[in-house]
Amino acid sequence: MIVSNKRRGYTLIEMVAVAVLSTFILGAAVATTALVTGVSTSTSREIDFYHELARLANSFRSDAHRARAVDATSTEGVVKVPGDGAIIGEMKLADGRSVRYVVGQRLMREVYQDGKLVARDGFEFQRGHRVRMEKREKNGRVFVHLSVVGAPVFDKGDQLAAGRVWEVQAVVGRDLLPVEP
């Protein structure tokens, strides 16, 4: 009888080596997926924040340009801090309506006609963002200035936004001024 020395299978050490290598590859894939998902969530949150800022800037400028008077309290409101909403400013529009900016659980834009609330629009910011509205005069023109200061880092907040300041400035009554030839 002829005996063959050819191997027909794998040794236990070869099988363990393959299992260990497979575990390392699978672990790296899971870690990469978690990293990409985390970056995606952070990016999505940042895009949402800038979208809210753009909506706020457009509404604020439009209100200021149509306003005939502004009452800015220079009070700083902090978003999502317990308590009643702090009115940071009010604009009297030429059509008799008034627009209030109130900071509470969110930044709210409230439109009043004859003392009654007729419209409300909210702007979502993270807890701790500070919002301030100021009135300034320069060269006989009135400007209104809105600033949003980045929140301190809470939980897994964006460390880059902490302390950053976003500002919106507008000329009060710009749309009411006569056009110069």
Side-chain angles (χ1 to χ4, degrees), residues 48-121:
D48 290 344
F49 171 73
Y50 283 110
H51 176 73
E52 286 298 292
L53 263 175
R55 276 189 341 106
L56 172 61
N58 288 335
S59 294
F60 184 77
R61 282 190 191 110
S62 176
D63 292 339
H65 292 166
R66 293 180 294 132
R68 59 178 167 72
V70 172
D71 178 26
T73 62
S74 295
T75 301
E76 187 170 86
V78 181
V79 177
K80 295 186 181 174
V81 171
D84 294 334
I87 299 172
I88 59 169
E90 185 171 358
M91 297 183 203
K92 307 283 187 196
L93 304 183
D95 62 5
R97 294 181 300 155
S98 63
V99 179
R100 285 186 191 157
Y101 285 86
V102 181
V103 179
Q105 288 298 312
R106 64 180 63 164
L107 176 60
M108 298 297 292
R109 175 186 174 268
E110 299 176 340
V111 180
Y112 289 86
Q113 175 101 38
D114 299 325
K116 295 180 184 176
L117 180 66
V118 294
R120 177 181 281 158
D121 189 14

Side-chain angles (χ1 to χ4, degrees), residues 42 45 126-127 129 151-162:
S42 175
R45 190 171 50 239
Q126 291 179 357
R127 177 172 57 114
H129 274 92
V153 180
F154 293 110
D155 305 323
K156 294 181 181 178
D158 181 9
Q159 293 180 356
L160 295 176

Side-chain angles (χ1 to χ4, degrees), residues 29-42:
V30 168
T32 302
T33 302
L35 179 66
V36 168
T37 303
V39 168
S40 174
T41 302
S42 175

